[in-house]
Each structure stands twice: as C-alpha cells, then as structure tokens.
Amino acid sequence: MNIYDIRRYGTYLFLLLSAAVIVVFLYFSGSLVKDLGVQERARMQIWADATREIARTTDFDNANIDFLLGIIEGNNNIPVLLTDANGNILQQRNYILPEPDAPLDSEANSRFLADKLSSLAHSDNNILIVIAPGVEQHLYYEDSNLLRHLSLYPYILLAVMVVFVLIVYFAVNSTKRAEQNKVWVGLSKETAHQLGTPISSLMAWVEMLRSSPGPADPEALDEMDKDLRRLETIASRFSKIGSKPQMECASLNTVLSNSVAYMRGRISSRIDLSIDLPDRELSANVSVPLIEWVMENLIKNAVDAMEARGSIAVSLRADNEGHIAVIEVTDTGKGMTRKMRKQVFNPGFTTKKRGWGLGLTLAKRIVEQYHGGQICVSESEPGVGTTFRIQLPLCR
C-alpha cells in the first residue's frame, strides 16, 4: 500500500465517520420531533375531552366549568378548528383571520377557514368527539410553531454540518497540497543546485580534452558535449519549478519536433516513434524547456508501457475554433484500467518497480498551473494502449 492509498483510505474513513455522526444526529432529532408531536396530540385529546364534557353536561358547578374552560383557553399556540359532523366550522382558535373583527361566516374568514379545513381533512391531526349518540364533532389541529420549527431544525443543522465537513475536507486537502508543493519545489531546487557543480566540472573537462593533443575522438567529444548540455537543460528545468517561468510565444511544431528527435535516438529501434504536424505553424505562449520536459516525460512513460516493441504517435492540431492547440501522445502499450486513469496524476502513484511517481504530477502542474492548459488521459484500454491529451491556448 503506497502513500496515496493510505491518504485515500483516511479520507474515506473521515467521510464515513462524518456520515455516521449525521445519521445518529438525524435519528435522535427525528425521535425528539416525534415525541413532541405525540405530546401535542395528547394535549389536543384533553382539549377535545373538555369540549365534550362541556357540551354534554349542564349541571357542572362553577369550579368544574372554570376548570374545563381553563383547559380550552389554555391552548394559545396550537391552531384548532372545531366542526360538526357535516363539516360546518363551529369554532376556531389561534388562527389569524383576514377580518379579525368580523364573524366566522364572513366571506373572507369563511374562505380562509375552509382552505385550512380542506388541508387538515387529509391529515392525521384530527380527533373525533362523540357528544351523544348520533351527535359528533371533529377537532382538527395544526402543528404548533415550536414543532414546525423544531422539525426543520435537523435539516438546517444537517446543512451546517455538511458545509462544515466539506470545509474541513477541502482545508485538509489544500494544506496537504501546499505541503506537497513545498516539498516538490525544495526537492527540485536542491536537485538543480546539486547537479550544477558536477556539470560545470564535466564541461571544463570536455573543453580540456578538446584543447589537449592526443587521440581523443572528436565525434565522441561532440556526443559528450550534447549530453552535458542536456544535463544543463535538465538542471535548468528543475530550477524553474516553484518560480514563475519565463514565457515566450514559441512554435509548438518546433518544440515537438525537437522533443521527438531527441527521444528517437534514445529509445529502442524496435519502437516506432512518429510525429504528425499540421501544415501551418501553431504557436503558444509557453516555457519551452518545461514543455519539452512534459513531452519527454510522456514519451518515456509510453516507452515504459511497452515491452520494447510497439509504436508511439505524437500529433499536433488546432481545435475546431482555432483557439486551442491539442497535443496527443498515443502508445500501443499495456493501457490502464478506469481506476488507474483516476490515479495516474496523483503524487506517489506509479506502476513501475522503480520510480517516485512524480513525473506525471509535475507534468500536470507545468501544463495547468504554469501554462493555463489541461492534460488528461483521453483514451486508454488495457492491452490496447493509451492516449494522453494536452490542450494549450494559442498565441493571439
């Protein structure tokens, strides 16, 4: 298990624990709302019993009458409608009527209460009151403001918790990326610094061999000089990581041709490396050393994906609108699964026995952060091959 897998499983564990906390919270909040609803129904049952007793009996003493009326009058937060068996509204309580000073049967009040009754008739919030054999009334009630607000509270808090989890998640990821960037920048600059001294020394030795009499092979010295210049270019590339590169409107035709020409002499002759360029020049605002680095990295990965035999095709074209340069590197190698395609640009991910798994990560950083372009795996199929696609804005 590599570093990426550990980090990925840690992220899954964090999200799973967050989801568990949210589910537990919703369960207990739902239970609280349900219990409060049961208590309100019990209060309405007492209200209905008091109404029934007042309607049934006329010989109560004043204390009992006051007690029952106190129960009815004590409801000051639950909207209530009392109707007869035919649905005629006899009494309302805690509704704000359109015409408070008018009787219940006024046009505005009657329409308002009829709408309320219609909505309550299909709910479970109703209680049958049997006044006498054949005489019935119905008590309809709405949830109190407290219960309605409390029923919304879990969802509001759920939204807050989800936002909080997302903020923590993205904050942690941003911190990790910032730390990774610092490590990459430090490693790159230190690599460039360490390469500088031996490169300078080797260049001096080559010049000394050129000037000294002896049997030195001029062709071998030329090849040594080319490789030294190449090492100097590599050190320069590393030194540019983490700092703003110098951009120029350069011909992508030339950049790709140079990269392919360089790599063609350094890969197996059994691998066919071809390039397809458009008739017209396509120029983009790029750092030439860094884009060459990206191309060489993609070609090396394509070579590693093949068992010393196959073909690699590099192509360049403009998109349909003519504003974007599209570069594709296609190989006939092992291909990638869907899971590998999702991880291929993550730091530390590699399918090789040797390697740090940073090549494609740095390529993505160079293309997207430094050049404002895009890089992706456009196509890949196990056993068939892979196509990497780069998109860069053309010079205006």
Side-chain angles (χ1 to χ4, degrees):
M1 182 180 294
N2 56 32
I3 295 175
Y4 173 74
D5 289 331
I6 294 173
R7 186 166 61 248
R8 179 161 56 90
Y9 291 132
T11 301
Y12 290 159
L13 179 61
F14 170 73
L15 294 177
L16 182 61
L17 290 176
S18 300
V21 170
I22 291 173
V23 169
V24 171
F25 174 79
L26 287 178
Y27 172 77
F28 283 105
S29 298
S31 298
L32 181 61
V33 171
K34 184 178 180 180
D35 292 342
L36 186 57
V38 171
Q39 292 180 18
E40 287 198 352
R41 185 172 184 87
R43 289 176 58 191
M44 288 298 96
Q45 185 64 57
I46 295 173
W47 201 94
D49 292 342
T51 302
R52 182 184 64 246
E53 293 303 321
I54 290 177
R56 276 183 175 180
T57 312
T58 58
D59 59 353
F60 280 125
D61 56 31
N62 290 334
N64 288 334
I65 289 292
D66 291 341
F67 172 72
L68 295 175
L69 289 176
I71 293 175
I72 295 174
E73 296 294 330
N75 172 29
N76 53 17
N77 60 357
I78 301 178
V80 172
L81 286 178
L82 184 65
T83 71
D84 60 17
N86 297 322
N88 298 314
I89 297 176
L90 305 176
Q91 185 182 358
Q92 72 83 24
R93 188 165 185 82
N94 299 326
Y95 281 108
I96 301 177
L97 300 176
E99 298 178 349
D101 298 330
L104 293 182
D105 57 358
S106 69
E107 182 177 357
N109 290 343
S110 179
R111 188 184 309 113
F112 173 80
L113 294 175
D115 291 340
K116 294 294 183 180
L117 180 61
S118 176
S119 63
L120 289 171
H122 302 289
S123 71
D124 295 330
N125 292 0
N126 65 82
I127 298 174
L128 175 64
I129 305 174
V130 180
I131 305 298
V135 181
E136 296 178 351
Q137 292 181 354
H138 293 272
L139 176 67
Y140 297 92
Y141 65 95
E142 294 184 1
D143 293 335
S144 65
N145 289 332
L146 176 61
L147 183 58
R148 285 199 297 269
H149 293 162
L150 190 59
S151 63
L152 294 176
Y153 176 74
Y155 300 100
I156 296 173
L157 199 54
L158 171 63
V160 172
M161 293 181 66
V162 169
V163 170
F164 173 75
V165 169
L166 290 177
I167 290 174
V168 171
Y169 175 74
F170 286 116
V172 171
N173 278 352
S174 298
T175 303
K176 288 180 179 178
R177 284 195 296 269
E179 292 176 352
Q180 290 170 355
N181 288 338
K182 290 180 179 179
V183 171
W184 296 338
V185 170
L187 177 62
S188 299
K189 292 187 178 297
E190 181 63 20
T191 301
H193 176 72
Q194 294 294 334
L195 286 173
T197 301
I199 288 174
S200 299
S201 177
L202 287 171
M203 292 177 69
W205 280 108
V206 169
E207 290 300 320
M208 189 181 73
L209 287 173
R210 285 184 184 278
S211 60
S212 63
D217 186 356
E219 185 176 352
L221 288 175
D222 288 339
E223 290 301 318
M224 290 174 62
D225 187 61
K226 287 181 182 179
D227 285 336
L228 280 171
R229 300 295 176 187
R230 193 65 187 177
L231 281 173
E232 190 176 24
T233 300
I234 292 172
S236 174
R237 291 172 179 175
F238 275 108
S239 68
K240 288 180 171 60
I241 297 296
S243 58
K244 186 176 181 180
Q246 183 178 355
M247 299 291 190
E248 59 178 311
C249 188
S251 168
L252 293 177
N253 303 56
T254 303
V255 173
L256 267 61
S257 296
N258 292 341
S259 299
V260 169
Y262 175 78
M263 293 301 299
R264 188 174 281 142
R266 287 161 176 78
I267 62 176
S268 171
S269 59
R270 292 183 295 177
I271 296 178
D272 178 32
L273 176 57
S274 62
I275 183 170
D276 181 20
L277 299 175
D279 295 332
R280 68 184 183 95
E281 292 282 333
L282 297 180
S283 298
N285 196 36
V286 297
S287 169
V288 174
L290 292 182
I291 291 299
E292 287 180 345
W293 189 2
V294 171
M295 293 305 303
E296 292 168 17
N297 195 299
L298 292 180
I299 294 173
K300 287 178 182 177
N301 280 346
V303 172
D304 292 338
M306 295 181 287
E307 297 179 354
R309 184 183 298 275
S311 63
I312 303 172
V314 178
S315 66
L316 172 66
R317 60 181 173 84
D319 68 346
N320 295 332
E321 297 180 357
H323 301 311
I324 303 294
V326 180
I327 304 169
E328 291 186 336
V329 178
T330 302
D331 64 64
T332 57
K334 295 179 290 186
M336 291 184 286
T337 63
R338 185 180 299 273
K339 181 180 179 181
M340 293 169 63
R341 290 174 63 176
K342 293 179 179 179
Q343 302 177 9
V344 70
F345 292 106
N346 291 322
F349 177 80
T350 180
T351 58
K352 307 174 190 176
K353 294 181 179 179
R354 296 181 179 180
W356 292 88
L358 294 177
L360 289 176
T361 304
L362 290 172
K364 186 177 181 68
R365 178 189 179 95
I366 291 170
V367 172
E368 297 187 355
Q369 294 189 21
Y370 291 166
H371 292 84
Q374 292 182 345
I375 182 172
C376 66
V377 180
S378 62
E379 295 180 16
S380 189
E381 184 177 347
V384 176
T386 300
T387 298
F388 281 88
R389 177 178 296 166
I390 299 173
Q391 294 178 299
L392 295 172
L394 291 171
C395 293
R396 296 185 178 180

